[in-house]
Amino acid sequence: MLRRLFALCCLLSTALPLPALGDEALEGIEHLNRLRVAAGLNPLQRDPELTAAARNHAEYLQTHRMIGHGERPGDAGFTGNNAVERALYANYASRAVSENVSAVMGDRRKGMRMAVEDLFTAIYHRTIFLAFDIDRVGAAFVSDGNGNSKAAFSMGNGRLNALCREPAQPIGFAAYYRDVCRDRERRVPAAAFEAAATTQKLANPLWVQWPYPGQAEVQPMFADEIPDPLPEVELSGNPVSLHFNPERVQRVELHSFELFDAAGNALREVRLLRQENDPNRLLGGLDFALFPLKPLDWGASYRARASVTVDGERQILEWRFTTRQPPEGLPLYKVARNGEQLTLHTGHNRFLVFIDPATAGRVLSVSARALDVAAIEANIVESNTLLLDLRGVGPAAHATVTLSGGFNFELSVEGTR
C-alpha cells in the first residue's frame, strides 16, 4: 500500500440536507469516531456543508490526479484555494475549518478505514483528528475503480458555525472578533465567540494519549507525511504522542518520555519531537511525540511511560498498546543486507518479507525472477513489506527479488507446497 498524506488546519446560510454518502465515507466517519471516543474525546457529528466541501475537494484531486490542499483557479471542479474557501463555497458559515486528505492505492473496500489509520500514523494529521475543539465533520472517498483513491475530511465547530449564522446585532463598545465568519468584517461579540469556541474543549479530557491505552491492531510503521516531521529518516515506527487540552491545561513540563518492548527494554533509537525542535513548526506547545526511529515489530506489545508536571502537579502516565499482526497472518521474514540469501522453512507458498529501510531505503517497486518455480508474484502490501506468492515449486526452488535502487536478495524455499 502506498499513500500520501497532507494536513491543513486553519482558523479561517441555511442548513442543507445531508448529501448522500457512499459506504466508504460513512465507514470513515464511524471509524474516526470509534478512535476518538476510545481516546476519551467527543464523537463528531456529520455536517452537510462540510460533507459537500470534502466531496468537492476529493473529486477535484481525483479528476486532476493531484494531492494536497490547493486548487488552481480555472480548473474544472475548482471550489476554493484552501479548506476555508471550499467550506464557505459549500455554504458553511464559520472560518474555523481544518482538513485532512490522503491518497490511497489499494482495495477500496478497505480504503476509507485505511486512510483514517494512515492519517493517525502521521503526527500533524493526528493532532487535527484529535483536536479538542471540533464536533462536526464531513468526509468523502472518491475512487477511479483501479485502486487509486482520494479521501478527504473537513472538520469544524458547530457552535461557532451556528453563531456565524445568527443575524448580526449591534454591539456598541463591547469587545468583538472579526474575520471569523463568512463576512470578514462582521463583528462577533467576544463573549459569545469565546463561549462557543471553548465549550467543546471544556467537555473534553485534560489530555489524550496515542495510541490510546489498551489499543490493539496499531500500525507499526510511519511512512509518509507532507511536510515530513523526520525528513532524514526513510521509515520509522508509529509515533507515541501526548496532547494536552489548551482550555484546561496552561503549562506542561515533560521530564521523560519512554517506550518499552514486551521484555521491558527501553527503545534507545528514538526521537522526541516537540514545539521547540519540530522542523516544520506545526506542533503546539502542548503536543509531544516520541518517534521510534525504526519500525515497531508486528504483533508486539509495548508500554509507554511519561513523567510530566501539569500545572504544577507531577503525573506519571503509563499505558500499553499492541501492534497489528502481519498482513493476512502470513509468516514474516526480514532482509537486512543487499544480496542476502534467505531460506524459507515453511509449508506454505505465500510469505511476507520486510526489507530493512536502513540499508535498502524506501521500497518503491519490486520485481522477481523465478528459478525452479513456475511463477512468483511479488507485491508491496505495506511500507517495505513484500508479499511473495510462489507457484509450481521444484526440489531446489529459488528466486531473485530486485527492489527499487538495485537492492536485491536471493531466496530458496524448503518444504513449499
Side-chain angles (χ1 to χ4, degrees):
M1 175 191 60
L2 301 176
R3 63 268 189 182
R4 302 301 298 277
L5 311 175
F6 292 78
L8 175 69
C9 185
C10 312
L11 180 63
L12 306 166
S13 69
T14 58
L16 299 177
L18 287 171
L21 283 185
D23 291 341
E24 296 92 346
L26 285 172
E27 170 59 17
I29 292 175
E30 291 170 358
H31 192 48
L32 174 58
N33 278 335
R34 283 193 290 269
L35 295 175
R36 278 183 58 92
V37 170
L41 294 167
N42 64 289
L44 307 180
Q45 181 179 331
R46 183 180 161 212
D47 179 272
E49 289 88 10
L50 293 177
T51 298
R55 182 75 186 184
N56 288 341
H57 190 48
E59 289 180 343
Y60 174 92
L61 295 175
Q62 190 72 338
T63 297
H64 299 284
R65 298 184 178 182
M66 295 170 56
I67 189 64
H69 299 285
E71 295 186 5
R72 297 180 300 235
D75 278 354
F78 172 83
T79 57
N81 288 300
N82 54 52
V84 175
E85 290 184 4
R86 291 189 288 273
L88 297 178
Y89 179 91
N91 203 36
Y92 199 68
S94 168
R95 290 179 176 271
V97 177
S98 59
E99 178 181 84
N100 274 346
V101 300
S102 174
V104 181
M105 298 178 65
D107 187 348
R108 69 172 294 163
R109 292 171 299 177
K110 303 177 183 178
M112 199 58 157
R113 183 186 181 101
M114 184 185 299
V116 170
E117 294 187 358
D118 285 347
L119 288 161
F120 265 103
T121 70
I123 190 61
Y124 303 135
H125 300 73
R126 180 186 297 178
T127 59
I128 291 175
F129 272 161
L130 295 178
F132 293 92
D133 60 343
I134 58 174
D135 61 2
R136 297 293 187 272
V137 66
F141 183 85
V142 179
S143 176
D144 65 2
N146 296 314
N148 300 305
S149 307
K150 302 296 189 297
F153 296 84
S154 297
M155 288 146 288
N157 181 300
R159 293 177 180 84
L160 288 176
N161 194 47
L163 181 62
C164 286
R165 290 197 185 284
E166 293 177 359
Q169 302 291 335
I171 61 172
F173 295 101
Y176 62 86
Y177 287 92
R178 289 192 307 180
D179 200 24
V180 295
C181 298
R182 175 185 299 278
D183 178 1
R184 306 185 84 141
E185 296 302 315
R186 176 175 175 176
R187 299 181 179 186
V188 177
F193 179 86
E194 290 166 3
T198 61
T199 298
Q200 189 59 63
K201 287 187 280 190
L202 289 171
N204 274 319
L206 290 172
W207 61 74
V208 166
Q209 299 139 274
W210 198 268
Y212 61 78
Q215 186 171 355
E217 295 294 309
V218 174
Q219 290 202 34
M221 290 173 277
F222 159 64
D224 197 14
E225 183 171 23
I226 296 178
D228 194 341
L230 296 177
E232 74 287 5
V233 179
E234 289 281 359
L235 189 65
S236 76
N238 193 347
V240 180
S241 61
L242 287 168
H243 310 273
F244 292 85
N245 187 334
E247 197 59 38
R248 301 186 62 191
V249 173
Q250 301 303 311
R251 178 178 172 80
V252 174
E253 296 177 67
L254 181 66
H255 307 293
S256 64
F257 200 173
E258 297 176 284
L259 186 62
F260 301 86
D261 63 19
N265 302 310
L267 276 62
R268 297 302 179 189
E269 295 185 71
V270 296
R271 179 173 304 169
L272 176 62
L273 211 62
R274 57 204 303 168
Q275 186 178 52
E276 294 82 359
N277 68 340
D278 175 11
N280 302 297
R281 298 294 187 265
L282 291 176
L283 291 180
L286 299 178
D287 299 315
F288 305 91
L290 184 68
F291 280 84
L293 296 183
K294 293 182 178 180
L296 300 177
D297 290 333
W298 295 98
S301 296
Y302 291 90
R303 174 172 59 91
R305 186 180 190 276
S307 174
V308 296
T309 298
V310 181
D311 290 340
E313 183 177 349
R314 192 68 174 258
Q315 304 272 356
I316 300 296
L317 308 181
E318 192 166 26
W319 71 103
R320 298 176 186 271
F321 63 91
T322 305
T323 58
R324 56 181 288 205
Q325 296 295 324
E328 303 184 36
L330 294 172
L332 177 68
Y333 296 82
K334 296 183 179 181
V335 171
R337 302 184 309 276
N338 192 18
E340 184 170 339
Q341 303 287 323
L342 184 64
T343 300
L344 309 180
H345 300 278
T346 178
H348 299 83
N349 64 351
R350 303 175 79 234
F351 324 96
L352 295 170
V353 178
F354 178 74
I355 311 299
D356 189 347
T359 52
R362 284 287 301 280
V363 175
L364 302 176
S365 63
V366 59
S367 62
R369 181 170 61 90
L371 299 172
D372 295 323
V373 181
I376 178 171
E377 183 178 350
N379 292 293
I380 303 171
V381 292
E382 292 283 351
S383 298
N384 279 49
T385 305
L386 311 181
L387 171 60
L388 303 182
D389 194 340
L390 283 69
R391 301 295 182 196
V393 179
H398 63 283
T400 299
V401 180
T402 303
L403 311 176
S404 50
F407 188 97
N408 68 84
F409 63 94
E410 303 283 333
L411 64 87
S412 59
V413 186
E414 296 181 1
T416 305
R417 54 177 167 82

